[in-house]
Amino acid sequence: DAGVTQSPTHLIKTRGQQVTLRCSPKSGHDTVSWYQQALGQGPQFIFQYYEEEERQRGNFPDRFSGHQFPNYSSELNVNALLLGDSALYLCASSFVVNPYEQYFGPGTRLTVT
Amino acid sequence: QKEVEQDPGPLSVPEGAIVSLNCTYSNSAFQYFMWYRQYSRKGPELLMYTYSSGNKEDGRFTAQVDKSSKYISLFIRDSQPSDSATYLCAMSEDSSYKLIFGSGTRLLVRP
């Protein structure tokens, strides 16, 4: 049973650049959520996607945007990168009938210099 | 004040000990309660998922929810060095799909 996969594993970008992170959900899951985890902190919710629509959004600026594809995979895009965007970005998948039981991927570690 | 409070630790115990990890919260609307284990530089792994109050047991792990006190616990029996990790509690309201996490408790099980 394939779990949640994310790519790339690590990424180094420069301030002002744009980045795209990718996620494939656990087999059978149809809902994808994205979280940002700063060092020493718990993950913070960015947004959740279902049926290719953003279903709920956390307290993140519009520089953070996403997309979900018909095969349920998802992308997270961050524009105009700031040093403070350096973090572990986590993707979680779930079933729409139980969106609270979320399974996480290994994350993408983004460093902004 | 954060919605979910968790002692950062570290909590150091000898192998075989019973470990108690706790979170308190302020939002009485939380209905779903989860515990995740996170190894260094890895993604969180779901350990326990409970709805509303009560206890749930799964192998060496027991989760307890006391909504009247706004307090949840995770107990680990017969702790092993491989249990050394950061433990995160998470919660959610009905019809809100986001999980609210504590900042995690670092656990070290000494051989």
Side-chain angles (χ1 to χ4, degrees):
Chain A
D1 180 18
V4 180
T5 60
Q6 292 186 244
S7 64
T9 305
H10 297 94
L11 208 49
I12 300 174
K13 290 286 190 178
T14 304
R15 268 182 306 176
Q17 286 188 317
Q18 179 263 345
V19 69
T20 297
L21 310 181
R22 295 176 176 84
C23 170
S24 289
K26 185 176 166 70
S27 179
H29 283 181
D30 52 15
T31 303
V32 172
S33 304
W34 286 92
Y35 291 80
Q36 180 195 66
Q37 186 177 24
L39 203 60
Q41 300 297 317
Q44 288 203 305
F45 178 79
I46 303 175
F47 39 55
Q48 185 178 91
Y49 275 83
Y50 171 65
E51 288 191 330
E52 303 178 50
E53 297 282 334
E54 183 183 290
R55 197 152 77 142
Q56 187 176 3
R57 187 179 185 91
N59 189 24
F60 279 80
D62 291 344
R63 299 187 296 109
F64 290 77
S65 63
H67 188 78
Q68 186 180 33
F69 300 93
N71 67 353
Y72 307 120
S73 67
S74 178
E75 287 181 350
L76 165 66
N77 301 292
V78 187
N79 294 323
L81 285 166
L82 303 173
L83 294 179
D85 294 332
S86 295
L88 181 67
Y89 287 85
L90 295 161
C91 170
S93 72
S94 55
F95 290 111
V96 66
V97 294
N98 185 6
Y100 313 101
E101 192 171 343
Q102 298 182 14
Y103 293 83
F104 283 82
T108 293
R109 185 160 300 279
L110 173 64
T111 302
V112 182
T113 62
Chain B
Q1 184 189 4
K2 291 184 179 180
E3 276 191 285
V4 180
E5 298 278 1
Q6 196 172 2
D7 188 324
L11 177 62
S12 181
V13 301
E15 184 175 352
I18 297 175
V19 174
S20 172
L21 302 164
N22 311 294
C23 286
T24 58
Y25 62 93
S26 56
N27 185 350
S28 58
F30 285 144
Q31 295 279 9
Y32 299 88
F33 303 91
M34 281 68 67
W35 284 97
Y36 286 85
R37 176 174 64 194
Q38 186 172 28
Y39 293 111
S40 181
R41 297 186 168 269
K42 303 290 185 185
E45 173 191 1
L46 180 62
L47 291 176
M48 301 291 281
Y49 165 82
T50 54
Y51 173 71
S52 196
S53 283
N55 294 359
K56 183 174 182 179
E57 188 173 322
D58 184 1
R60 296 186 296 115
F61 299 95
T62 300
Q64 287 185 353
V65 175
D66 182 351
K67 291 184 68 180
S68 61
S69 302
K70 299 192 182 71
Y71 188 88
I72 70 170
S73 301
L74 177 71
F75 298 95
I76 307 175
R77 290 182 297 281
D78 187 26
S79 56
Q80 303 295 311
S82 59
D83 294 327
S84 298
T86 295
Y87 289 79
L88 297 156
C89 62
M91 310 177 187
S92 188
E93 302 178 26
D94 258 330
S95 301
S96 170
Y97 310 115
K98 66 179 179 181
L99 302 186
I100 308 296
F101 282 84
S103 55
T105 298
R106 196 154 64 90
L107 172 67
L108 174 63
V109 181
R110 308 185 306 271

